């Protein structure tokens, strides 16, 4: 997906590139950002949705508290703690039978 197409504050579809480089538009009544956290922010920036965060002026919201946390069922033990509590809490949920 290249970008989210929007008009008057509502997403109307997505733009994507095919394997031969041709661009396509897929209209949609609902657009769900369900890729990796960093890619979601990238898509919002490319689509010019929201105001990018500027750390110098502390203005904008897009990317301001950008965190990600990957949950696994594997437990690893290291000499130093990994601060596993850091990240967004909602990233721990999943849709099993969506």
């Amino acid at each position: 997906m290249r970008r989210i197409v929007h008009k008057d504050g509502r997403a109307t579809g997505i733009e994507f590139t095919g394997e031969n480089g041709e661009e396509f538009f897929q209209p949609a009544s609902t657009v769900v950002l369900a890729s990796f956290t960093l890619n979601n922010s990238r898509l919002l920036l490319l689509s010019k949705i929201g105001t990018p965060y500027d750390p110098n002026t502390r203005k904008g919201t897009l990317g301001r508290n950008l965190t990600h946390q990957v949950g696994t069922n594997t437990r690893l033990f290291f000499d130093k703690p990994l601060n596993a509590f850091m990240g967004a809490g909602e990233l721990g949920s999943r849709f099993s039978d969506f």
Side-chain angles (χ1 to χ4, degrees):
M1 181 168 32
R2 290 199 53 209
R3 69 184 194 97
I4 302 160
V5 180
H6 57 95
K7 182 179 179 182
D8 299 328
R10 294 192 51 88
T12 59
I14 62 164
E15 245 181 40
F16 65 95
T17 306
E19 53 187 52
N20 62 354
E22 188 177 357
E23 291 189 7
F24 296 96
F25 171 71
Q26 176 64 52
S29 59
T30 303
V31 175
V32 177
L33 290 181
S35 66
F36 186 63
T37 309
L38 301 175
N39 196 43
N40 287 345
S41 297
R42 178 184 160 274
L43 284 171
L44 291 170
L45 286 167
L46 290 173
S47 305
K48 298 185 180 0
I49 297 175
T51 306
Y53 177 65
D54 182 0
N56 295 325
T57 62
R58 301 182 61 86
K59 302 283 185 200
T61 57
L62 184 55
R64 180 175 180 176
N65 291 318
L66 181 62
T67 62
H68 72 281
Q69 183 175 357
V70 178
T72 65
N73 291 329
T74 306
R75 296 288 181 213
L76 301 173
F77 298 95
F78 296 98
D79 294 335
K80 296 181 181 180
L82 294 176
N83 296 331
F85 59 86
M86 298 177 82
E90 186 59 30
L91 291 171
S93 67
R94 55 181 76 132
F95 294 104
S96 297
D97 297 308
F98 187 61

